[in-house]
Amino acid sequence: STVAIGRMFAWGRQVGRRFVSTEVRRRVLEAASTQVASYGWSEEALARGVASVGLSSASHGQLRPVELVDFVAEGCRRELAARIDESAAELAALDGWRPRLKKAVAMRLELSLPWHERRAQALGLALGSSLTGADDVPAAIPALARLADDLARATLVEAEAPVSEARWRARHAAAAAAYALAEVRAVADTSPDLEDTVLFANRIVDAIGDAADAPAALRDALTAGALAAKSLGGAALSILPPKAVGALPLLLDLASQKAGSALSLVADSMLDRLLHALPASPVPPAPSSSTSSRSGSRPNPEPNP
């Protein structure tokens, strides 16, 4: 009943000054995600999600559109992790880590297709808003860190010798940078199935080279990639909120600085916080078709770095 669900809200966990039951929150966001095609990543979509689970229309104020973006992005990430495991043999057959990373990035872009028409709005929210509202770390940072774990994991092969932590960090940074740039390029992409963005991402991965042996080369590649993305997507970027556009260089600089392990050289306090927001991750097991990465059903459509 509505009363019972309302009590679940009251008994739920605190998010800032708000209280939202984890289960009710999931149900509302899942329902709201089906409204994105019609209403965008908006208060209206959230309100309709709230109504569909029997809550009062005022309850949607407990959630913000950026949380809807993050919820759907996380669902797509889980689906990607499952597809990477299912494609373990196909990935292992590719010659080298770069083709595997290209394949994984293309898989993630494919998952974003149902949300492509609302991509610019999602990118603007993710780059311009934090999840908690209590800090200045864009929601895109933790989302990108989680995604980079899976993209980089796709480059590992069970039959090969384990990669060193240094090489893993470099691949992780390369994955984060390649996908961040691909998202920017995709904003202006009108090609079928984001074919132009896939080709663009492939060029970025190729430009990165052997990042583990040459972190300076990785930073140079990111700089070139950022300029290319800006020139290709400039018109589309003009519709993003200024705060979102301003956060993009920080996002890219974040990945390049992390790759070079040059934290001690970072003077700007905000960038230093962002660098720490993309934490080091341990080297994970290689993809395996015997591993079940699926965790619940994937919410319907999205885009987000």
Side-chain angles (χ1 to χ4, degrees), residues 14-302:
Q14 184 175 8
V15 180
R17 295 181 178 178
R18 298 168 291 118
F19 291 84
V20 182
S21 158
T22 299
E23 174 57 21
V24 173
R25 180 180 185 276
R26 183 195 64 77
R27 288 172 55 196
V28 169
L29 290 172
E30 188 165 358
S33 71
T34 67
Q35 303 297 322
V36 170
S38 299
Y39 301 100
W41 308 94
S42 66
E43 296 284 349
E44 179 64 23
L46 288 168
R48 289 175 178 269
V50 164
S52 72
V53 300
L55 296 174
S56 69
S57 59
S59 299
H60 80 273
Q62 298 191 44
L63 294 168
R64 297 177 300 139
V66 67
E67 294 176 77
L68 179 56
V69 173
D70 189 72
F71 173 78
V72 178
E74 177 61 12
C76 289
R77 187 200 64 78
R78 288 185 189 151
E79 177 67 18
L80 174 66
R83 292 190 182 188
I84 286 172
D85 282 322
E86 291 167 358
S87 305
E90 180 184 352
L91 289 165
L94 297 175
D95 185 18
W97 70 269
R98 282 186 287 275
R100 295 171 197 143
L101 179 55
K102 292 177 185 178
K103 175 71 173 176
V105 170
M107 291 165 67
R108 178 60 182 85
L109 287 169
E110 181 182 2
L111 288 171
S112 78
L113 285 172
W115 315 93
H116 182 53
E117 291 186 4
R118 302 288 184 173
R119 184 181 300 273
Q121 185 189 11
L123 188 61
L125 285 167
L127 286 171
S129 308
S130 73
L131 284 174
T132 66
D135 56 46
D136 52 13
V137 176
I141 298 296
L144 182 62
R146 295 191 301 268
L147 177 59
D149 287 344
D150 290 300
L151 293 173
R153 186 173 68 89
T155 69
L156 305 177
V157 178
E158 283 185 306
E160 293 181 353
V163 299
S164 66
E165 289 190 7
R167 189 172 293 275
W168 166 253
R169 282 198 306 273
R171 290 190 192 182
H172 188 266
Y179 194 78
L181 289 167
E183 271 292 341
V184 177
R185 173 63 184 94
V187 169
D189 195 345
T190 58
S191 65
D193 299 330
L194 296 176
E195 291 175 357
D196 289 349
T197 298
V198 171
L199 292 174
F200 173 79
N202 288 348
R203 291 196 296 271
I204 295 298
V205 173
D206 285 336
I208 285 170
D210 196 339
D213 295 333
L218 172 57
R219 288 193 292 273
D220 290 344
L222 292 183
T223 299
L227 292 174
K230 181 178 179 181
S231 65
L232 289 168
L237 286 178
S238 67
I239 69 175
L240 296 179
K243 187 175 180 180
V245 176
L248 183 61
L250 293 178
L251 189 67
L252 300 177
D253 205 16
L254 169 70
S256 62
Q257 291 283 356
K258 194 70 177 182
S261 299
L263 292 179
S264 62
L265 302 179
V266 180
D268 182 85
S269 60
M270 178 179 291
L271 182 55
D272 188 60
R273 289 198 299 274
L274 291 178
L275 285 166
H276 285 89
L278 186 61
S281 66
V283 181
S288 172
S289 57
S290 63
T291 301
S292 176
S293 297
R294 295 185 187 276
S295 177
S297 59
R298 177 173 64 91
N300 288 314
E302 174 263 15

